Every structure is written in structure tokens, then in C-alpha cells.
Amino acid sequence: MRTCDRFARIKSGYEQDITYLRNHSQRSADTKAAKTSATNALAVKSRMAKALGRHFAACPICG
């Protein structure tokens, strides 16, 4: 699959957010904040998939 630079930038931005939220969840285990961070990480992952799908459909290089 061939992708463009913008696809990589979008993906890396979301991956940084997901990593931050997962790390926060692990650091503060057994707290309400940890559960919230883990839930938010899943939501961000879903938003990343939607954003990359929209980009892939619209981009002439990726599509």
C-alpha cells in the first residue's frame, strides 16, 4: 500500500496521542483517571481509523 506524507503525519499524530494516554493509564493504575485514559485511548484509535479512511478515500496518491 502506497501512502503519502500527509497520511504518515496524520497517523503519527494520532499514535502519539494514543501512546500518551496508554502510558498515563499504566502510570496511574487502579485509579479513575487510568480508566478514563484507557477509554480515551480506544476512542482516539477509532477516530484515527476514521480520519485515515477519509484521507485514503480522498487522496489521489493514497487511493
Side-chain angles (χ1 to χ4, degrees):
M1 179 168 91
R2 187 172 148 219
T3 58
C4 67
D5 292 336
R6 185 163 187 241
F7 184 93
R9 281 194 314 271
I10 294 169
K11 186 176 178 183
S12 69
Y14 276 106
E15 286 176 341
Q16 284 178 338
D17 293 344
I18 292 168
T19 302
Y20 173 80
L21 290 167
R22 284 185 179 162
N23 288 340
H24 178 264
S25 177
Q26 291 172 354
R27 279 193 312 271
S28 57
D30 299 327
T31 64
K32 190 171 183 176
K35 186 174 181 180
T36 301
S37 288
T39 303
N40 287 342
L42 292 175
V44 170
K45 191 173 184 180
S46 176
R47 285 194 297 269
M48 176 181 75
K50 289 178 185 177
L52 291 177
R54 281 191 307 268
H55 172 81
F56 194 78
C59 182
I61 296 172
C62 295

